[in-house]
Amino acid sequence: MNANLLLIALLALGAAPSTRDAPFIETFQRDGKTLIYVLAVHHSAMLFPDAMAEPVFKTIQSVFLKTPPDAVILEGVDPSQISGFLDYARQCADANYNLAGRACAENAFTAYSAAANGAQVYTGEPPASASLALFRAQGYSVQDFFAFWIMNNIPHEKRHGTLSEGEFTRLVDRVVGYENQLLGTSTSFIAEDFAAWYAKNIRTPHNYLDIAQEDTSPYPSSGEPKTLLHTLSALSTKARDENIVATIKMAIENHSRVLVVYGASHFDSEWDELVRFMGMPKKTKPF
């Protein structure tokens, strides 16, 4: 069987692996290049006050100890913010990833570990301006864009503590301020604006403070109605995953060993293209 036919057969047989037992590692190898993909479960300070005891941190640490990469690709960092994020990651490390009032997650641990090992740091995220342009091309407004990122951050906030109305107001101000900074704009969108937007556009959950991780998925759970949040998540996730794969291709061409650390759910839609590019991976689960 020639190489092309073999690859077709592999693609036909090789459905993306279940991500239920994340975190784990998928390792791709091709032509002397290695791609190490950590399918992460996002850090929860509520479940693991000592971040270094969390399986995802231990999994990432095992990569740096056994097969240190010469480049890493981070989740959740705008391309314009890499330098500042490296400074933030250093602060997280100095506080043993328990920085008061801030979320020191697995991307900060990966960034600090990379810097300490002399590895190049990339982000897999598209710039905020490109993300907003995508929303606008589909008929959505900047307010829809802000509301999406506010909703997307609610489960993240709840992984690190309770979320009261007062804390939610500060979350809105933080998200909108950050997006305005990235976009170079000064569009006002306060908590009251969001509450009115939510009442008009989202039916479930009734209270936005009840938004859970599954509500921000691109796909509703079985039997659940599809919401605008699912639609916006699908739009954002598709663009993000395409950008992640493009970044992986760039990094693997320029480096021998590349580590990617992303939420496990992204792997499903990236699987086919990664297998085409790198061949079938080998799964390992250190923790």
Side-chain angles (χ1 to χ4, degrees):
M1 181 180 290
N2 67 36
N4 287 335
L5 290 177
L6 176 60
L7 181 56
I8 291 169
L10 287 173
L11 288 170
L13 294 172
S18 169
T19 60
R20 285 182 217 166
D21 59 344
F24 59 87
I25 301 169
E26 292 283 2
T27 302
F28 300 80
Q29 292 185 316
R30 186 210 72 184
D31 298 337
K33 304 278 187 148
T34 301
L35 171 65
I36 306 165
Y37 199 125
V38 171
L39 285 76
V41 174
H42 294 309
H43 170 54
S44 169
M46 296 282 283
L47 296 176
F48 293 93
D50 176 7
M52 295 308 300
E54 186 162 18
V56 69
F57 274 67
K58 292 164 71 175
T59 299
I60 296 163
Q61 185 178 51
S62 74
V63 174
F64 280 96
L65 289 174
K66 295 176 182 177
T67 53
D70 48 14
V72 302
I73 300 175
L74 306 176
E75 180 173 7
V77 182
D78 189 89
S80 68
Q81 302 298 302
I82 286 288
S83 177
F85 189 78
L86 288 172
D87 290 337
Y88 172 66
R90 196 173 302 112
Q91 295 174 43
C92 285
D94 289 343
N96 200 32
Y97 300 92
N98 190 18
L99 197 59
R102 303 295 298 275
C104 291
E106 67 280 353
N107 57 354
F109 179 63
T110 305
Y112 178 77
S113 300
N117 283 271
Q120 180 69 45
V121 179
Y122 300 100
T123 174
E125 304 296 328
S129 56
S131 297
L132 176 58
L134 177 65
F135 271 58
R136 282 181 159 158
Q138 298 297 317
Y140 297 108
S141 67
V142 67
Q143 288 78 15
D144 298 326
F145 183 73
F146 287 164
F148 166 71
W149 283 113
I150 292 165
M151 292 185 290
N152 203 56
N153 272 274
I154 288 173
H156 173 76
E157 290 294 306
K158 293 194 291 189
R159 283 195 291 271
H160 299 282
T162 57
L163 188 60
S164 67
E165 284 287 356
E167 290 161 339
F168 176 73
T169 296
R170 289 188 286 275
L171 169 65
V172 171
D173 292 344
R174 188 168 73 247
V175 170
V176 172
Y178 180 67
E179 294 299 332
N180 269 319
Q181 175 192 340
L182 295 178
L183 295 167
T185 56
S186 56
T187 304
S188 176
F189 194 71
I190 61 176
E192 289 79 6
D193 297 325
F194 172 81
W197 182 96
Y198 191 89
K200 178 182 177 181
N201 291 286
I202 306 290
R203 293 180 179 273
T204 183
H206 178 71
N207 187 333
Y208 47 77
L209 295 181
D210 293 331
I211 290 174
Q213 189 66 45
E214 56 267 25
D215 297 311
T216 66
S217 165
Y219 313 106
S221 301
S222 179
E224 293 294 319
K226 186 173 183 179
T227 68
L228 177 59
L229 178 51
H230 291 126
T231 299
L232 297 179
S233 292
L235 181 65
S236 174
T237 298
K238 183 176 184 294
R240 292 177 67 202
D241 286 339
E242 288 174 354
N243 200 77
I244 294 164
V245 172
T247 304
I248 289 170
K249 289 180 176 180
M250 175 275 297
I252 207 72
E253 290 299 326
N254 293 307
H255 302 277
S256 296
R257 185 179 287 112
V258 176
L259 168 64
V260 181
V261 179
Y262 257 79
S265 63
H266 289 275
F267 200 67
D268 280 345
S269 57
E270 298 166 15
W271 169 261
D272 285 349
E273 191 60 28
L274 289 177
V275 171
R276 286 190 189 96
F277 181 57
M278 290 294 296
M280 294 293 287
K282 178 181 178 182
K283 176 181 175 179
T284 53
K285 184 168 174 59
F287 301 97

